C-alpha cells in the first residue's frame, strides 16, 4: 500500500520516517493559523524525481523571501526516502515547510521552530486531458500584480480553493486570473501559453504569477525553435490564438481547447504545437531530454 509514510522533522531534532497517522502539528503552529510557510508538489515519474532540483531552487528562494534561516536539510535524500518507503512509481511528492510554533501574533519569532513534512503517493489524472483538452473561464475577481504572495507557493492557498470552487460552478476545468491592469496571469493550478503565428507566448512574471516549474521547462523546450516570449496578454488574445495550453508540474502540458464557451483556434481538439510540446515534456520526465 502506498502513501503511508511521511518524513517529519522539526528544527533542532532529527527527522525520520513515520506512519502518516502519527504525524502531529502543534496547536500554535504558524502554518496552521496563518499559512506561514511554503510547499512544493513534485511529479514522481518511474520512481524518480526529475524536476526536484528546480522545485528545491524555488522552495529555497521562497523560504529566503519569507525570512527563514537557511535550513541544513538534505532535501534530495529525504525526498527519495519517502518515495521509496511508499513504493511510488507514478505519482506525486509534496514538501511543506511551516515556520512552526510561535507566540500569538503575526510577527514571526526571531528563532523559528520550523516544521518540515514530506509525503508521497500514487497519482494519475482523472481525465485524459491530452486527448480531450481543458475548458476554461475567467475568475470573477482580479489579482494584484505587485502582491508579495504572487510569486510564492505559500501554505495559504485560499484564492486557489475559491478558484477551483468557481470552476466547478461554471462547469469548466480551470479558471484563469486577470490582474488589476487587465492582463492575464495564470490559472488556479496552471501556467498559460498561447501559440500565435507559430510563436509561443506566455504572461510575463511581472504580471503577478508564480514562476511555474512546468512553465520553465516549456520555455526551455520552446527555445529550441523560434524563441518564445513573455509578454502582457489580454483575455481576448486567447480566442485570437491558433492554439493554447496550460501546464503544471503534475500533469505536464495540457491542451486548452475552449475559453469562455468558445473554441480556440477554430479547432475542436489540441493543436500540433501543443501536442509536440506535450510529448517533449514527457521525454524530459523520462530522462530522454536534458
Amino acid at each position: 500500500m502506498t502513501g503511508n509514510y511521511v518524513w517529519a522533522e522539526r528544527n533542532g531534532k532529527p527527522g525520520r520516517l513515520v506512519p502518516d497517522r502519527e504525524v502531529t502539528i502543534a496547536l500554535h503552529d504558524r502554518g496552521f493559523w496563518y499559512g506561514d510557510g511554503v510547499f512544493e508538489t513534485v511529479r514522481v515519474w518511474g520512481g524518480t524525481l526529475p524536476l526536484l532540483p528546480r522545485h528545491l531552487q524555488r522552495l529555497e528562494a521562497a523560504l529566503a523571501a519569507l525570512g527563514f534561516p537557511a535550513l541544513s536539510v538534505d532535501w534530495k535524500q529525504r525526498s527519495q526516502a519517502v518515495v521509496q518507503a511508499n513504493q511510488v512509481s507514478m505519482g506525486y511528492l509534496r514538501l511543506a515547510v511551516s515556520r512552526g510554533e510561535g507566540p500569538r501574533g503575526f510577527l514571526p519569532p526571531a528563532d523559528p521552530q520550523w516544521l518540515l513534512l514530506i509525503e508521497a503517493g500514487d497519482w494519475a489524472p482523472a481525465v485524459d486531458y491530452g486527448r480531450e483538452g481543458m475548458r476554461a473561464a475567467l475568475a470573477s475577481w482580479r489579482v494584484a500584480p505587485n502582491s508579495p504572495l504572487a510569486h510564492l507557493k505559500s501554505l495559504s492557498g485560499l484564492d486557489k480553493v475559491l478558484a477551483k470552487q468557481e470552476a466547478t460552478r461554471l462547469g469548466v476545468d480551470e479558471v484563469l486570473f486577470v490582474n488589476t491592469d487587465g492582463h492575464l496571469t495564470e490559472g488556479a493550478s496552471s501556467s498559460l501559453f498561447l501559440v500565435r503565428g507559430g510563436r509561443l507566448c506566455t504572461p510575463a512574471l511581472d504580471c503577478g504569477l508564480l514562476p511555474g516549474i512546468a512553465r520553465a521547462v516549456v520555455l526551455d523546450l520552446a527555445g529550441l525553435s523560434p524563441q518564445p516570449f513573455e509578454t502582457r496578454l489580454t483575455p481576448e488574445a486567447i480566442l485570437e490564438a491558433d492554439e493554447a495550453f496550460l501546464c503544471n508540474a503534475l500533469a505536464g502540458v495540457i491542451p486548452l481547447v475552449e475559453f469562455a464557451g468558445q473554441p480556440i483556434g477554430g479547432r475542436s481538439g489540441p493543436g500540433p504545437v501543443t501536442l509536440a510540446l506535450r510529448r517533449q515534456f514527457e521525454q524530459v520526465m523520462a530522462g530522454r531530454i536534458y
Side-chain angles (χ1 to χ4, degrees):
M1 183 179 295
T2 62
N4 285 340
Y5 290 95
V6 176
W7 184 276
E9 186 169 350
R10 288 181 170 84
N11 186 16
K13 298 180 181 179
R16 62 192 180 99
L17 283 167
V18 297
D20 55 8
R21 64 182 178 276
E22 295 182 13
V23 175
T24 59
I25 297 176
L27 173 61
H28 298 292
D29 187 278
R30 294 177 59 85
F32 176 78
W33 288 105
Y34 306 130
D36 188 359
V38 292
F39 76 99
E40 291 285 332
T41 303
V42 187
R43 184 73 156 102
V44 181
W45 192 282
T48 68
L49 298 161
L51 299 183
L52 181 62
R54 292 177 183 257
H55 283 280
L56 294 181
Q57 184 178 28
R58 185 173 68 179
L59 177 68
E60 291 175 345
L63 290 171
L66 290 175
F68 277 65
L71 274 59
S72 298
V73 171
D74 188 338
W75 301 98
K76 182 177 180 181
Q77 180 273 330
R78 287 157 172 73
S79 298
Q80 290 175 334
V82 174
V83 170
Q84 292 168 5
N86 291 294
Q87 302 175 23
V88 179
S89 177
M90 301 298 281
Y92 72 92
L93 175 105
R94 190 158 51 180
L95 307 95
V97 184
S98 163
R99 207 179 302 258
E101 293 184 76
R104 183 179 177 278
F106 291 116
L107 183 66
D111 182 23
Q113 302 303 302
W114 51 262
L115 168 66
L116 163 64
L117 297 174
I118 307 176
E119 59 120 1
D122 295 329
W123 178 86
V127 178
D128 184 1
Y129 288 118
R131 180 175 304 224
E132 299 183 19
M134 274 191 171
R135 297 165 299 144
L138 282 184
S140 59
W141 68 95
R142 297 192 173 196
V143 297
N146 58 351
S147 167
L149 295 180
H151 306 300
L152 297 176
K153 200 171 179 68
S154 78
L155 294 179
S156 177
L158 274 179
D159 57 337
K160 313 302 184 185
V161 172
L162 291 170
K164 287 299 185 181
Q165 289 178 321
E166 183 161 60
T168 299
R169 288 196 298 270
L170 295 174
V172 297
D173 305 297
E174 181 72 301
V175 292
L176 303 177
F177 294 110
V178 169
N179 66 23
T180 51
D181 296 324
H183 299 127
L184 289 162
T185 61
E186 60 190 343
S189 58
S190 61
S191 299
L192 170 68
F193 282 86
L194 305 181
V195 181
R196 301 193 297 184
R199 193 173 184 189
L200 206 62
C201 58
T202 189
L205 290 178
D206 62 8
C207 290
L209 57 138
L210 184 74
I213 302 302
R215 177 184 185 274
V217 173
V218 169
L219 286 172
D220 287 348
L221 290 171
L224 301 174
S225 56
Q227 189 67 30
F229 64 101
E230 302 173 70
T231 186
R232 287 167 175 73
L233 299 165
T234 63
E236 292 75 20
I238 300 178
L239 293 176
E240 296 169 356
D242 302 314
E243 302 176 41
F245 63 86
L246 306 172
C247 64
N248 63 40
L250 275 188
V253 173
I254 314 159
L256 182 62
V257 298
E258 182 183 298
F259 174 67
Q262 300 296 315
I264 297 172
R267 65 178 79 246
S268 59
V273 174
T274 299
L275 292 177
L277 285 168
R278 182 177 173 83
R279 289 191 296 269
Q280 290 174 345
F281 192 97
E282 291 177 350
Q283 290 177 331
V284 170
M285 300 303 294
R288 292 193 290 270
I289 297 181
Y290 299 159

